[in-house]
Amino acid sequence: MTTEKIDYKKEYKDLYLPKQKPTVVNVPTMTFIMVNGSGNPNIEGGEYQQAIELLYGLSYTIKMSNKNGYQPEDYFDYVVPPLEGLWWLEEDNMDFTQKNKFCWTSMIRQPEFVTKEVFQWSCNELKRKKPQIDTTKAYLETFTEGLCVQSMHIGPFDDEPETVKLIETYISENNLKNAISSIEPDGRIRRHHEIYLSDPRKTAPQRLKTVLRHPVAKID
């Protein structure tokens, strides 16, 4: 067991701290707790906000497991990684102003020692402490994103199309093609991906930091 606290943002700067210009990244396989949903994420107490409460509840339950009478094998101390999200629209509609038509998978990366058994323990423990939370909506899954183009976006979420345009221009100029909505051999559909490095409750909109990532494929 290591005594040094692992911060994934610092250990994997290429994944979490890109510059404000598009770059290619090959994203490795990682383990996430995920929750699927749909609808406007800004609705107070709505499905999206309930999903975030569930994700953080499970993630912090696992982080504090060694202090709550449960010791996962190979446990190490760490900083809970940032919230992430995969986003798309109903019927492949590209009008991102229609927030009520959003579909999403919200997720938080988990450390390598988290197994199905550890995840199930966290669900049972969170349900015991907060019975009002529906833990059945969460699931543990490995996720291999592969080749992507990403960029740091600084500013309000509604201004993201400006950074997306830079990403799309980079893709078209570097012998790549956008692979959003393409289907992987395991059936997974590749999606627009966001990583939230700022807490919108405590950060001014113009200072929000969000990693924007688009899956790509090389042009033969």
Side-chain angles (χ1 to χ4, degrees):
M1 181 189 304
T2 180
T3 58
E4 184 178 354
K5 182 182 292 188
I6 300 297
D7 187 337
Y8 286 92
K9 295 190 301 299
K10 296 178 180 179
E11 293 289 327
Y12 300 93
K13 292 181 179 180
D14 59 326
L15 301 179
Y16 296 102
L17 298 173
K19 297 181 180 180
Q20 282 184 269
K21 61 180 182 179
T23 54
V24 175
V25 62
N26 198 357
V27 185
T29 300
M30 294 176 276
T31 299
F32 288 86
I33 295 177
M34 298 180 168
V35 179
N36 299 327
S38 61
N40 189 334
N42 299 321
I43 295 176
E44 188 70 29
E47 187 175 0
Y48 181 75
Q49 295 189 12
Q50 291 176 31
I52 292 176
E53 181 184 15
L54 173 56
L55 285 169
Y56 276 113
L58 292 172
S59 296
Y60 277 97
T61 297
I62 292 171
K63 173 179 168 56
M64 302 302 293
S65 59
N66 67 325
K67 297 183 179 179
N68 289 309
Y70 182 71
Q71 184 67 59
E73 186 176 356
D74 297 325
Y75 176 91
F76 56 83
D77 196 10
Y78 62 99
V79 177
V80 172
L83 177 70
E84 307 186 30
L86 306 175
W87 295 86
W88 65 101
L89 288 163
E90 296 175 2
E91 302 172 354
D92 289 328
N93 181 352
M94 295 305 293
D95 184 0
F96 287 94
T97 64
Q98 299 185 44
K99 293 182 172 62
N100 61 311
K101 294 187 177 181
F102 279 165
C103 300
W104 40 263
T105 297
S106 291
M107 57 199 200
I108 295 179
R109 181 180 182 175
Q110 299 302 306
E112 290 73 12
F113 66 82
V114 177
T115 61
K116 290 182 179 179
E117 290 73 23
V118 174
F119 170 68
Q120 189 57 56
W121 173 86
S122 70
C123 289
N124 295 340
E125 185 70 4
L126 182 62
K127 188 67 176 178
R128 183 179 67 82
K129 292 183 176 180
K130 296 185 177 182
Q132 75 277 12
I133 294 180
D134 183 4
T135 59
T136 64
K137 292 184 177 181
Y139 59 98
L140 187 73
E141 188 161 313
T142 55
F143 179 41
T144 305
E145 197 164 19
L147 193 66
C148 297
V149 172
Q150 66 181 15
S151 179
M152 181 71 77
H153 172 75
I154 299 181
F157 298 131
D158 287 344
D159 290 348
E160 287 182 7
E162 299 171 9
T163 301
V164 168
K165 185 176 180 180
L166 295 177
I167 291 174
E168 292 303 310
T169 298
Y170 179 91
I171 291 172
S172 65
E173 293 177 350
N174 285 273
N175 202 40
L176 298 167
K177 59 182 178 181
N178 189 315
I180 288 178
S181 297
S182 65
I183 302 175
E184 295 288 274
D186 63 359
R188 178 182 293 278
I189 301 175
R190 304 183 77 187
R191 301 296 191 187
H192 169 86
H193 189 167
E194 301 187 358
I195 304 174
Y196 308 105
L197 302 178
S198 308
D199 185 342
R201 299 170 301 177
K202 303 176 182 178
T203 308
Q206 65 271 21
R207 301 185 68 181
L208 291 172
K209 293 183 178 181
T210 309
V211 180
L212 303 185
R213 183 182 293 164
H214 279 188
V216 297
K218 293 181 179 179
I219 297 177
D220 299 330

